[in-house]
Amino acid sequence: MPNSEIDNGPEPDAAGASAASAPAAVPAQPGEQSAPPSTDGQSTSAEEAPAVGGRLGRVGAIAGARRGVAAAVAVLCVLAGTIAALLGAHAVARTDARNERRAFPQTTASIASTLKLAIQREEELGISASTFFAGNPKASAAELGRWVNWAHTLRRYPELQSLGLAALVRAPELAAFDARIAGHATKQRAARSASSTAAAATAAALRVIPPGARGYYCLTAAELARSAAASTPVGLDYCAATPALLASRDSGKSIYTAARGGLKAVAIETPVYRGNVPPPTFATRRAAFVGWLRTLLTPGVVLRQVLHGHAGYAVRLTHRGSSPAVTAAAGTAAPGAQSATVDLHDGWSMRSVGPVAAAASVLSDGNAVTLLIGGILLSVLLGLIVYLLGGRRPAAASPTPKTRELPHSDLYDALTGLPNQALALDRAGRMVARAGRQSGMLAGALLIDIDWFKDVNEKLGRGAGDQLLSIVARRLEEVIRGEDTVGRIGGDEFVVLVESAARGVRLDSLAGRIIEALHRPVELEGFGPSFFATASIGVAFGRYDTADDLMRDAQLALYSAKAAGKDRYTLFNANMRSMIESRGVLEAELNAALQEQQFFLLYQPIYDLDSRMVAGLEAVIRWQHPKRGVLGPDEFIPLAEETGLIVPIGRWALEQACNRTAAWNVSGHRVGVSVKVTANQLNRDGFETDVRRALQQSGIDPRLLTLEIAEATVMRDVAACARRITEIKRHGVLVALDDFGGSGYARHADLRQVALDALKVDRSSLAAADDDAYRSWLLESILIVGRDLSLAVIATGIENAEQLIALQALGCTMAQGPFIGEPTGADEVKQYFEAALPALPAPASRAGAWGADSQR
């Protein structure tokens, strides 16, 4: 059949083709592609099939390529992240190792400094207890307990386990001693046989440990113990247990021994003498001997406090002045750790052992390992996200609502979490603007300054200061409303912003609640007993143009609160602005006063109460103001300190006093003069030159000039002031510590560092104490410190005869005050030279009337 002939089959009839006449389906041959069905349910034609298949192939190829690229980028992300994490981990390991090596000497120095302070505290405990027993040599245990409770000794010294007095009892005196401590009359045993029989019987009654007849015994006369384990067995003979104890009576030195009975404690036996001062000779020490003060301390309590915050450190404390050496340790030392030995003082030394110096390797550093693992996991997660997102077709971006930006960390204080100065001032500006738009609203600000915060930083350290700031921040947040703002604007200053209706403004009530909240006891972790914090608050409110105006008025009110004595709040008033203006006028007038010589000196006598004659004069400055009359130093010296004018004013006063002293000596009156020296004068490099010039111009004996320096000035930086005073004393002048005892700053160890000649005790500052007995005890303690350091003690501010009589009864020999001599002009001072102080009747008892106010 020709290829051109085609048999189409029979024609369909009119009714349609039957099923039998329909063409048969032809199966697809191998290698041929079936046409896909059409979208409308019809089969795709043979001509359309290749085009559709090509489009699908291109789509699949593009998707595969996209997935490949995404996978490659994901792998690169994982590799880059892993490498970055590894490099960062190496850097962290090197930095940590370097920081650990550098931190060890600093931490050791900090631990040593804290231990020195702790040892000084123990010395102060010994001085205080010795003072008690020196005045009460036969005190009972009950009397000792009352004194300990009064002085809060157990609470202040948690390491103290027991405190008592051991007395030297000779064999014939055992019966009387036993009866005294038992509270029985000695008559019950006085009728016994000879002294040896009585001694043996009493020893048996006391059960002397170790037993045996000896010529003398060292037995506990009074003791107070924290627990039964710390108490001394009845009848224990210390002299038999510690042979060197009797020798300490003659030498006046303390003995350190390890406690018996498994108690990890140190026993300190210190000889106590009448007057609490060791007599100079061997014989007089025996005659004045009272007994041995015995304190039992657990150094572990102190060491654990010292190591608080120093993880991984261990300390071993050793006292080499005893045989064998007394040691105490705390912390666990790791093998191969860094160590250092520091010599403290008075035979104490400390060995500090720190953490093992970390090697600069990743696997040995926890921070580096954490960074490495975290970096790898983060890079894997990032790679997975890149792969999942990169392999899918990106959808059209839909508009997203604008989200509020989170607060920036640079707007909040890192320590307290409160808004910092920038954010607080911004909120103050917004508040002032809102109050300006609303007629019934007022803007208010309370500026808060913590009193004595500098002392907390200097005495306890910056860690304690940070804790105090955090506590104050929390308490401020507790007392304000939810819509108010509290912020820290720098240092120890906080601000509270209050927006309120004009009729509802009660910022004084809010200030009172803040002061009450701060009066609650403050517990600083690792820094001993609790204390009370106070604050000065300046309050301003009203309608202001700018936030700066509001803060300025609050600042002026704060200045007024601090000047009024602190621990209070002050509401702003318009007079405060005029005070600032008058302050500027006063500064200009001070300059004019120097040029026109408006200053003059008065002289107040200082009496020797033994000879009842004038022993010296104190020069006090006055200002003859042309309009306001005579002004005292309190009215212009603080401003002179701030402006620097105290330097020429102090130089003039020093030269004037020296020249006047030279004139008195020429006329036959050899008397010295005291001149006050402020902090700015002492800290100036040229002050030594001023002293030398005044001595050379006047020609007086340098020992006739005494420089009075306030205790608070010296305690700001004891080491620096000690160097300054040593330099000045090379010229032969004397130095007195003024206002001693009022602030409570200076310690016994501090006074040893400074080359002083006298202590001046202000009666008015001690009069603020609780009761007369405490004031008298405090003065008596100061007199003991003065005798111990060979310093003269001068009591100032004597206002009546009762105070002078009580002062003499306490043994003070130098006095000054309006009752025995008012400040007088230079020409009228001769009346004090020629007349002796009238004799006063002797006191009936050692009454505590010295610190009492004259109005009582």
Side-chain angles (χ1 to χ4, degrees):
M1 179 181 296
N3 293 331
S4 59
E5 295 180 358
I6 300 176
D7 186 6
N8 294 323
E11 294 289 333
D13 57 9
S18 63
S21 65
V26 180
Q29 300 296 323
E32 295 181 353
Q33 184 175 5
S34 302
S38 64
T39 59
D40 56 357
Q42 303 294 328
S43 298
T44 304
S45 64
E47 293 81 1
E48 294 175 345
V52 174
R55 286 196 300 272
L56 291 176
R58 285 194 297 275
V59 171
I62 292 173
R66 186 180 293 117
R67 286 192 296 270
V69 171
V73 173
V75 171
L76 289 177
C77 288
V78 173
L79 291 177
T82 302
I83 293 173
L86 185 60
L87 295 177
H90 276 293
V92 169
R94 289 194 299 271
T95 301
D96 287 349
R98 182 171 60 252
N99 289 342
E100 285 187 10
R101 288 191 292 269
R102 290 178 177 177
F104 177 72
Q106 300 175 358
T107 304
T108 298
S110 175
I111 292 174
S113 177
T114 307
L115 265 180
K116 285 183 180 179
L117 292 176
I119 293 174
Q120 291 174 3
R121 288 182 69 250
E122 309 305 338
E123 292 176 353
E124 293 170 3
L125 170 62
I127 293 174
S128 178
S130 296
T131 302
F132 170 76
F133 282 119
N136 303 274
K138 294 186 178 181
S140 65
E143 292 172 334
L144 174 61
R146 285 193 294 271
W147 178 83
V148 167
N149 291 334
W150 171 79
H152 305 291
T153 304
L154 295 179
R155 180 173 61 83
R156 293 169 55 201
Y157 299 91
E159 67 275 13
L160 178 64
Q161 297 303 313
S162 69
L163 178 70
L165 181 73
L168 180 64
V169 182
R170 305 185 186 281
E173 301 169 351
L174 272 175
F177 177 80
D178 181 25
R180 178 168 66 86
I181 63 174
H184 300 296
T186 57
K187 295 180 180 179
Q188 297 176 0
R189 297 187 179 178
R192 294 188 179 182
S193 58
S195 60
S196 58
T197 305
T202 305
L206 288 176
R207 284 191 284 179
V208 176
I209 305 173
R214 292 180 286 275
Y216 55 85
Y217 303 87
C218 302
L219 304 175
T220 300
E223 182 183 53
L224 186 66
R226 192 183 292 271
S227 63
S231 62
T232 303
V234 177
L236 177 64
D237 185 2
Y238 293 109
C239 289
T242 308
L245 188 62
L246 198 61
S248 70
R249 174 196 60 176
D250 301 332
S251 65
K253 296 181 179 180
S254 300
I255 294 180
Y256 296 77
T257 57
R260 300 173 178 81
L263 189 65
K264 295 182 179 179
V266 175
I268 306 175
E269 282 94 2
T270 303
V272 179
Y273 305 92
R274 295 184 184 89
N276 202 27
V277 178
T281 64
F282 175 85
T284 53
R285 279 196 290 271
R286 286 194 172 186
F289 180 69
V290 172
W292 291 274
L293 172 68
R294 189 174 189 272
T295 55
L296 190 65
L297 307 171
T298 51
V301 175
V302 177
L303 294 181
R304 284 192 294 272
Q305 292 177 347
V306 169
L307 289 180
H308 181 76
H310 303 293
Y313 279 79
V315 171
R316 185 179 182 86
L317 183 65
T318 304
H319 186 273
R320 303 190 179 279
S322 56
S323 180
V326 175
T327 62
T332 303
Q338 306 175 79
S339 64
T341 301
V342 180
D343 184 18
L344 301 178
H345 69 281
D346 294 339
W348 291 101
S349 63
M350 179 202 79
R351 181 174 178 79
S352 172
V353 182
V356 179
S361 63
V362 174
L363 297 181
S364 62
D365 189 297
N367 294 331
V369 171
T370 302
L371 177 62
L372 178 61
I373 295 175
I376 293 175
L377 292 177
L378 184 61
S379 60
V380 170
L381 179 61
L382 179 62
L384 181 61
I385 294 174
V386 169
Y387 177 74
L388 294 177
L389 295 180
R392 52 186 293 194
R393 183 176 179 180
S398 59
T400 58
K402 184 177 181 181
T403 58
R404 181 177 63 87
E405 294 184 359
L406 294 176
H408 295 287
S409 60
D410 57 353
L411 295 179
Y412 289 83
D413 179 53
L415 176 64
T416 62
L418 300 177
N420 62 12
Q421 183 178 20
L423 183 55
L425 291 179
D426 178 73
R427 292 185 179 179
R430 295 173 185 270
M431 178 183 66
V432 169
R434 285 194 302 271
R437 294 191 298 268
Q438 302 177 21
S439 60
M441 301 298 291
L442 296 179
L446 292 84
L447 202 57
I448 304 163
D449 183 89
I450 303 175
D451 298 332
W452 317 115
F453 180 75
K454 183 179 179 181
D455 295 335
V456 175
N457 266 348
E458 291 179 352
K459 298 299 180 181
L460 301 181
R462 294 193 176 275
D466 290 346
Q467 287 191 47
L468 178 57
L469 291 174
S470 299
I471 292 172
V472 170
R474 291 197 302 269
R475 295 186 181 179
L476 291 178
E477 290 181 309
E478 292 173 358
V479 299
I480 66 171
R481 302 176 303 177
E483 61 268 24
D484 298 335
T485 294
V486 56
R488 182 186 176 198
I489 59 176
D492 60 336
E493 285 194 352
F494 297 82
V495 65
V496 175
L497 303 176
V498 180
E499 184 177 2
S500 179
R503 294 184 177 180
V505 173
R506 289 299 306 273
L507 298 190
D508 54 343
S509 176
L510 176 58
R513 293 198 304 271
I514 291 174
I515 289 179
E516 290 178 1
L518 296 181
H519 279 179
R520 298 201 306 266
V522 175
E523 297 282 351
L524 300 183
E525 185 178 356
F527 291 97
S530 62
F531 62 94
F532 297 93
T534 63
S536 302
I537 305 177
V539 183
F541 62 92
R543 302 179 65 83
Y544 288 88
D545 294 331
T546 64
D548 290 340
D549 294 339
L550 173 63
M551 298 300 291
R552 177 204 59 204
D553 288 352
Q555 187 72 59
L556 293 177
L558 176 61
Y559 289 152
S560 178
K562 295 178 77 69
K566 303 181 179 180
D567 190 20
R568 67 192 63 215
Y569 67 87
T570 300
L571 301 178
F572 171 79
N573 60 69
N575 293 333
M576 294 179 182
R577 292 189 188 135
S578 61
M579 291 174 59
I580 297 299
E581 295 172 358
S582 63
R583 185 183 180 90
V585 173
L586 183 62
E587 182 177 348
E589 292 175 343
L590 268 177
N591 281 287
L594 274 172
Q595 303 297 327
E596 300 173 8
Q597 298 182 356
Q598 297 175 3
F599 297 108
F600 64 95
L601 294 180
L602 298 178
Y603 300 89
Q604 186 173 30
I606 303 171
Y607 277 92
D608 184 339
L609 299 182
D610 289 338
S611 65
R612 317 200 70 78
M613 299 299 293
V614 172
L617 298 164
E618 179 183 346
V620 291
I621 191 169
R622 296 290 187 269
W623 179 9
Q624 183 65 56
H625 194 279
K627 297 179 180 179
R628 300 170 56 187
V630 177
L631 300 181
D634 293 340
E635 298 183 74
F636 62 89
I637 290 298
L639 180 60
E641 278 272 280
E642 295 179 11
T643 59
L645 291 175
I646 191 63
V647 173
I649 294 175
R651 184 186 300 120
W652 172 86
L654 188 63
E655 294 176 355
Q656 187 78 4
C658 289
N659 290 336
R660 180 58 63 177
T661 302
W664 288 327
N665 278 265
V666 169
S667 62
H669 302 290
R670 181 177 174 81
V671 64
V673 66
S674 301
V675 180
K676 291 186 181 295
V677 176
T678 66
N680 283 352
Q681 288 179 272
L682 181 66
N683 296 329
R684 192 174 62 88
D685 291 335
F687 181 64
E688 182 185 3
T689 303
D690 293 344
V691 174
R692 184 173 65 251
R693 181 187 297 114
L695 293 174
Q696 292 174 348
Q697 290 179 354
S698 63
I700 65 172
D701 182 352
R703 292 191 60 81
L704 294 179
L705 174 62
T706 300
L707 303 178
E708 296 184 2
I709 304 172
E711 177 189 17
T713 299
V714 175
M715 290 304 107
R716 288 175 189 169
D717 190 339
V718 177
C721 285
R723 290 193 297 270
R724 288 280 189 186
I725 292 173
T726 301
E727 293 172 359
I728 296 171
K729 283 181 66 68
R730 292 174 184 169
H731 300 290
V733 301
L734 305 180
V735 175
L737 194 63
D738 197 16
D739 294 332
F740 180 71
S743 62
Y745 288 149
R747 299 173 179 270
H748 192 274
D750 296 330
L751 298 179
R752 290 184 180 275
Q753 300 181 42
V754 187
L756 299 173
D757 299 284
L759 302 174
K760 298 196 72 174
V761 185
D762 186 3
R763 187 204 66 82
S764 61
S765 63
L766 295 189
D770 295 332
D771 51 46
D772 292 348
Y774 178 75
R775 286 190 288 265
S776 297
W777 175 84
L778 186 58
L779 176 61
E780 187 174 6
S781 299
I782 293 174
L783 292 171
I784 292 172
V785 170
R787 289 195 294 268
D788 186 33
L789 299 177
S790 300
L791 303 177
V793 177
I794 305 171
T796 66
I798 306 303
E799 297 179 351
N800 53 49
E802 181 185 12
Q803 294 168 2
L804 186 61
I805 293 172
L807 188 67
Q808 290 179 281
L810 292 172
C812 184
T813 59
M814 304 287 285
Q816 172 187 353
F819 176 70
I820 53 179
E822 294 279 359
T824 308
D827 297 333
E828 291 79 21
V829 168
K830 293 182 179 179
Q831 61 177 323
Y832 294 123
F833 297 155
E834 299 169 355
L837 188 67
L840 296 173
S845 62
R846 295 165 61 89
W850 180 75
D853 295 334
S854 59
Q855 298 174 350
R856 296 198 320 163

